[in-house]
Amino acid sequence: LLESMEVVQYDRMGEDEASGAVVAHFRWKHFPMLQNDGSVRIAEVFVAAVDVETKRMKSAALDGRELDPRDAMVLVFFHTIFAGHVKLHAMANWGVNHMLIEDSVLQRCAVTTTAYNFFGHTRFPAYARAWYRLGVSAHDFSRIDQVIDHGVKAGVRAHSETRQLMRHSDLCNFVVKIRKQFMRAFEKHEERMLGIDMEALFVG
């Protein structure tokens, strides 16, 4: 968790009652999941606590029900793939400009990015349905687009408090420090970035 994009779900720092270890608490509200029957379930809250020194999960719970850390990591990974990182793809569409015909490289990157984002959302459910019909998958997960839509509509929570994790997360430390340098570089070459949103380019 400390070295993944899920750091944005950081809630607060605390202490583990049993061991006294310093732990980082993470919180996901309205957590989307696909169930074995293919239906979508939205859990009220999913929480996890990670020892910041060992970077091991100490506890996790879904709607108050305690989870084994291995099961919790399955949920974290599922969220990352289908409800979390899809937001980055959505934002990336604002970090490109297909009309930059003066720069063929940037234009090609823009078209490729948007096409990839489009096919990821529209084609994957069809693939999931086909896998089920062919017997490749034991369950029909074709409603995965509902999970993707839920994640995108949820937006990105304010996460300035993730700075508290800089001493414990190489990823967080790097991203926080590089952000200002990125903004300066963008402004330096802004004339080549017509129609491109600076924040969207950095995030996406």
Side-chain angles (χ1 to χ4, degrees):
L1 278 174
L2 290 171
E3 303 299 344
S4 76
M5 63 163 290
E6 296 290 351
V7 292
V8 298
Q9 304 297 334
Y10 172 70
D11 187 42
R12 60 186 172 82
M13 205 69 78
E15 184 178 299
D16 182 63
E17 295 181 0
S19 64
V22 177
V23 294
H25 291 273
F26 295 84
R27 184 182 189 87
W28 295 257
K29 291 186 66 177
H30 308 304
F31 191 91
M33 299 174 292
L34 271 182
Q35 303 190 104
N36 284 342
D37 65 357
S39 64
V40 177
R41 175 192 168 195
I42 308 297
E44 186 63 30
V45 63
F46 170 48
V47 295
V50 177
D51 185 320
V52 296
E53 294 302 324
T54 65
K55 297 188 178 181
R56 290 179 175 272
M57 189 179 292
K58 301 291 290 184
S59 64
L62 182 70
D63 284 346
R65 181 169 66 88
E66 188 175 346
L67 299 176
D68 183 277
R70 291 171 296 185
D71 294 330
M73 284 310 299
V74 171
L75 291 179
V76 170
F77 187 70
F78 178 81
H79 183 272
T80 298
I81 299 302
F82 292 112
H85 99 279
V86 293
K87 302 174 188 180
L88 303 185
H89 286 288
M91 291 178 183
N93 288 334
W94 296 98
V96 297
N97 183 355
H98 314 89
M99 302 306 292
L100 281 176
I101 57 177
E102 299 85 358
D103 192 318
S104 60
V105 174
L106 285 181
Q107 185 185 39
R108 189 182 312 118
C109 289
V111 173
T112 303
T113 295
T114 308
Y116 179 84
N117 296 342
F118 171 76
F119 287 121
H121 180 272
T122 59
R123 299 310 305 161
F124 192 84
Y127 296 151
R129 187 178 299 107
W131 293 332
Y132 175 63
R133 290 175 177 171
L134 293 172
V136 176
S137 173
H139 307 286
D140 181 2
F141 294 140
S142 59
R143 296 178 189 168
I144 191 65
D145 58 325
Q146 295 180 29
V147 175
I148 296 172
D149 290 339
H150 179 88
V152 172
K153 289 177 181 177
V156 180
R157 59 181 285 181
H159 52 275
S160 60
E161 66 276 4
T162 53
R163 288 175 175 273
Q164 298 173 14
L165 297 175
M166 290 176 68
R167 291 192 300 114
H168 310 292
S169 166
D170 293 334
L171 174 67
C172 192
N173 184 55
F174 172 77
V175 172
V176 169
K177 288 181 176 179
I178 202 67
R179 186 175 185 276
K180 185 176 291 186
Q181 301 304 319
F182 177 89
M183 300 303 179
R184 287 174 179 167
F186 185 97
E187 291 170 352
K188 182 179 179 180
H189 302 281
E190 198 166 9
E191 70 281 354
R192 295 186 59 203
M193 302 294 184
L194 297 176
I196 295 176
D197 183 88
M198 179 168 59
E199 192 72 38
L201 183 60
F202 177 74
V203 174

